[in-house]
Amino acid sequence: MRRRTKSAPGPLPQRDGVDPVRVRLPVDGSWPTVAAYLAHRLPQAAAGRLAEMLRDGEIIGADGPVEPGTPFVPGTSVWFHRDLEPEVPVPFAIEVVHRDEHLVVVDKPHFLATTPRGRHVAQTALARLRRDLDLPALSPAHRLDRLTAGLVMFVARPEVRGAYQTLFRDRLVRKEYEAVARFDEALELPRTVRSRIVKERGVIAAREEEGEANSESRIELLAARGGLGRYRLLPLTGRTHQLRLHMSALGIPILGDPVYPQVLPEPAPDDFRAPLQLLAASLEFTDPLTGREVRLRSRRTLAAWSDPRGWAAGG
């Protein structure tokens, strides 16, 4: 059974690091039973599966398991675990680079989503860390694209989540990325790129359009060899795909990018040969609770730079 309603803690514990789904019953509803409403609300679920979940006590309300005859009470909630499609395991480790009572900062590998979304649910950094570290309340302070590797911050305690998420909202975290792309000796660097980026829901690629700029990136060349450049990227804003789009707009799309400058056919789920050559290399911030200056750096490298022959063979 699939459900898009946002997950929330409730009477059911997590399963494999994944929260149960919460469904709120509408306040103006007139269904005779909870089961009748769920059959209406989740038409994609097989009737037999819904009946099985009710019979086995897999759907829970505030007062306990929901039965086939449990009456509909407007404004209440029920919880259940959705049936997950099989996921291909991402065969790379997550390295913890910092952990204290408030924070967990990890070095995320390529291909691993930060949080559950779409078909990536159990195979996400959040679910894996909740299981491996036994931290069921762990939540993200920000997100990193599935295809991008590097540093991601998680908050261990719900009561302090807002303090760390505010750091990113107010742009109080200095983020540095590294990328490998074609070297263009005619391109003048360093430079600051500003543009208006629009990302439509359900559309893979973001786009630039005329209008007031809402994104800003600093692009610097660190080194060049063999027709490739190693770049330092400093995002001053946080638009979706901002760095990837800005690099592509400069005529030097990041190696391994399946979206920019054009959307390519999606590889097989178990094809990990050509990772996007983009790395969230460092995070610097003042801890809002302790006042301590925190500077963290990824231990990962980009294969197209550290092993270009291997990259060429793999990609």
Side-chain angles (χ1 to χ4, degrees):
M1 183 183 298
R2 291 172 177 252
R3 178 69 190 125
R4 293 184 179 179
T5 296
K6 184 178 180 180
S7 298
L12 280 175
Q14 290 174 358
R15 178 187 292 172
D16 204 23
V18 179
D19 285 329
V21 171
R22 178 182 184 179
V23 176
R24 290 184 176 89
L25 278 57
V27 296
D28 57 351
S30 59
W31 290 268
T33 63
V34 174
Y37 171 72
L38 292 178
H40 163 78
R41 185 67 183 85
L42 307 172
Q44 73 275 27
R49 177 58 181 139
L50 179 59
E52 180 183 16
M53 294 175 72
L54 291 166
R55 182 194 68 213
D56 294 343
E58 296 180 33
I59 302 175
I60 305 295
D63 298 324
V66 174
E67 299 178 348
T70 298
F72 178 95
V73 179
T76 59
S77 297
V78 297
W79 291 260
F80 58 85
H81 282 287
R82 56 176 164 161
D83 296 332
L84 301 179
E85 298 293 336
E87 296 180 50
V88 175
V90 178
F92 310 113
I94 308 174
E95 182 181 356
V96 176
V97 298
H98 173 85
R99 182 177 180 181
D100 59 34
E101 62 177 318
H102 306 305
L103 289 180
V104 176
V105 182
V106 303
D107 217 350
K108 186 185 79 67
H110 295 285
F111 301 107
L112 186 68
T114 301
T115 57
R117 185 176 182 182
R119 69 176 185 273
H120 306 286
V121 181
Q123 281 297 310
T124 60
L126 180 61
R128 283 171 55 169
L129 290 168
R130 283 174 168 176
R131 300 192 304 263
D132 297 346
L133 302 181
D134 192 23
L135 291 174
L138 196 70
S139 60
H142 66 123
R143 287 170 175 80
L144 198 62
D145 284 350
R146 183 178 69 89
L147 299 182
T148 304
L151 300 181
V152 189
M153 183 192 301
F154 295 87
V155 184
R157 299 167 51 214
E159 59 267 29
V160 300
R161 180 186 309 152
Y164 291 100
Q165 290 178 334
T166 298
L167 288 177
F168 290 91
R169 184 197 67 192
D170 294 345
R171 303 176 189 173
L172 298 176
V173 180
R174 185 181 187 275
K175 297 181 286 185
E176 179 181 314
Y177 289 71
E178 291 186 9
V180 179
R182 182 179 65 86
F183 172 62
D184 181 356
E185 62 181 9
L187 184 63
E188 294 185 6
L189 296 175
R191 69 167 60 189
T192 298
V193 180
R194 300 179 182 89
S195 69
R196 181 170 186 80
I197 293 178
V198 175
K199 178 70 168 64
E200 297 178 6
R201 187 179 182 87
V203 178
I204 294 176
R207 69 178 190 276
E208 293 179 312
E209 63 177 30
E210 295 294 329
E212 182 180 357
N214 61 7
S215 65
E216 184 174 352
S217 306
R218 173 79 171 176
I219 314 293
E220 302 174 1
L221 177 67
L222 295 175
R225 69 183 186 207
L228 295 179
R230 176 171 165 250
Y231 299 89
R232 176 188 290 124
L233 313 180
L234 304 173
L236 303 178
T237 54
R239 296 289 169 177
T240 300
H241 294 181
Q242 174 179 316
L243 296 175
R244 297 165 62 182
L245 186 53
H246 281 171
M247 289 288 283
S248 180
L250 290 176
I252 49 171
I254 298 171
L255 292 187
D257 197 327
V259 176
Y260 305 98
Q262 63 181 7
V263 178
L264 301 176
E266 188 171 0
D270 59 351
D271 185 351
F272 304 109
R273 292 176 298 169
L276 174 70
Q277 295 301 280
L278 180 61
L279 174 69
S282 71
L283 292 175
E284 296 183 14
F285 59 95
T286 302
D287 190 298
L289 301 184
T290 67
R292 182 169 58 92
E293 296 297 321
V294 179
R295 296 179 177 84
L296 301 170
R297 189 154 192 90
S298 171
R299 300 184 180 97
R300 298 185 183 276
T301 59
L302 293 171
W305 189 260
S306 60
D307 182 19
R309 291 186 179 180
W311 161 262

